[in-house]
Amino acid sequence: MATSYQKYEIRRRNPDPKISALLVIDVQNYFSAMAQPILPNLLSTIHLCRRASIPVFFTRHSHKSSEDHGMLEEWWNGDLIIDGTLEAELMVELDRRPGDVVVEKNTYSAFRDTNLDGLLRERGVGEVIVTGVMTNLCCETTARDAFIRGFRVFFSTDATATSDKELHQATLKNMAYGFAYLVDCERLREGFLGK
């Protein structure tokens, strides 16, 4: 998947470390089977961003009550991530540090009914790099929402994952066409370190 995005690429740009933030979307135990294959690329992306002094924001999807799941219960036949369970916790393999923010969310967009927008703007962030799971649901919805809010969006092709290769590819095509610059670990490394 790392190089397949090139056929969709319409525009090319590297993130500006001075105004960027990394979003690590929902890398939780519930999604561990999906996240494990991209974990090396995700950790590489996190480390590259830390070396470039880019703040890292993690999101965690869960439901605290029967009132906060909206259409998700119907759509996923009641298969919800319940707060307080092991499935709801972020994977321990993530390189989380004490200063990292964890944004709690209960729908696909990390911006909906959260303080993410304000946290980013407080730090002077104008660009976001989107990683995590699922490519075509929470990652894509968060990227679209970020674009609509005026953030320049960079969407990782090799540090995002979903249940199906075609869904992953469809999101990359949609992102490149209307919402985001596509990047991978190699492009970030070149952009940040000049290598």
Side-chain angles (χ1 to χ4, degrees), residues 120-133:
L120 294 173
R121 295 188 194 281
E122 280 172 14
R123 289 164 174 78
V125 170
E127 301 180 350
V128 294
I129 304 163
V130 177
T131 63
V133 294

Side-chain angles (χ1 to χ4, degrees), residues 56-68:
V56 180
F57 293 79
F58 295 89
T59 71
R60 190 175 76 88
H61 184 111
S62 70
H63 300 280
K64 295 177 181 13
S65 77
S66 59
E67 307 300 314
D68 75 351

Side-chain angles (χ1 to χ4, degrees), residues 41-92:
N41 292 332
L42 180 58
L43 291 172
S44 178
T45 300
I46 291 170
H47 296 150
L48 284 166
C49 287
R50 291 198 195 285
R51 280 184 68 185
S53 300
I54 293 172
V56 180
F57 293 79
F58 295 89
T59 71
R60 190 175 76 88
H61 184 111
S62 70
H63 300 280
K64 295 177 181 13
S65 77
S66 59
E67 307 300 314
D68 75 351
H69 47 65
M71 281 294 296
L72 292 181
E73 182 175 41
E74 175 183 329
W75 203 255
W76 300 111
N77 298 316
D79 185 14
L80 300 173
I81 305 169
I82 305 303
D83 192 45
T85 64
L86 185 61
E87 289 182 326
E89 296 307 311
L90 294 176
M91 290 173 59
V92 294

Side-chain angles (χ1 to χ4, degrees), residues 15-33:
D16 178 352
K18 294 182 183 76
I19 58 168
S20 291
L22 175 64
L23 305 183
V24 181
I25 307 294
D26 301 351
V27 182
Q28 300 167 234
N29 293 325
Y30 182 90
F31 298 110
S32 63

Side-chain angles (χ1 to χ4, degrees), residues 66-152:
S66 59
E67 307 300 314
D68 75 351
H69 47 65
M71 281 294 296
L72 292 181
E73 182 175 41
E74 175 183 329
W75 203 255
W76 300 111
N77 298 316
D79 185 14
L80 300 173
I81 305 169
I82 305 303
D83 192 45
T85 64
L86 185 61
E87 289 182 326
E89 296 307 311
L90 294 176
M91 290 173 59
V92 294
E93 296 92 334
L94 290 175
D95 178 25
R96 284 181 48 220
R97 302 207 178 151
D100 295 336
V101 174
V102 178
V103 174
E104 304 284 335
K105 63 192 244 335
N106 61 18
T107 192
Y108 296 151
S109 175
F111 289 96
R112 172 109 175 150
D113 295 331
T114 72
N115 61 348
L116 180 59
D117 189 285
L119 290 170
L120 294 173
R121 295 188 194 281
E122 280 172 14
R123 289 164 174 78
V125 170
E127 301 180 350
V128 294
I129 304 163
V130 177
T131 63
V133 294
M134 295 169 65
T135 308
N136 58 312
L137 295 178
C138 295
C139 294
E140 180 171 346
T141 306
T142 297
R144 287 172 180 256
D145 204 345
F147 180 90
I148 298 300
R149 292 166 184 265
F151 293 97
R152 182 175 291 119

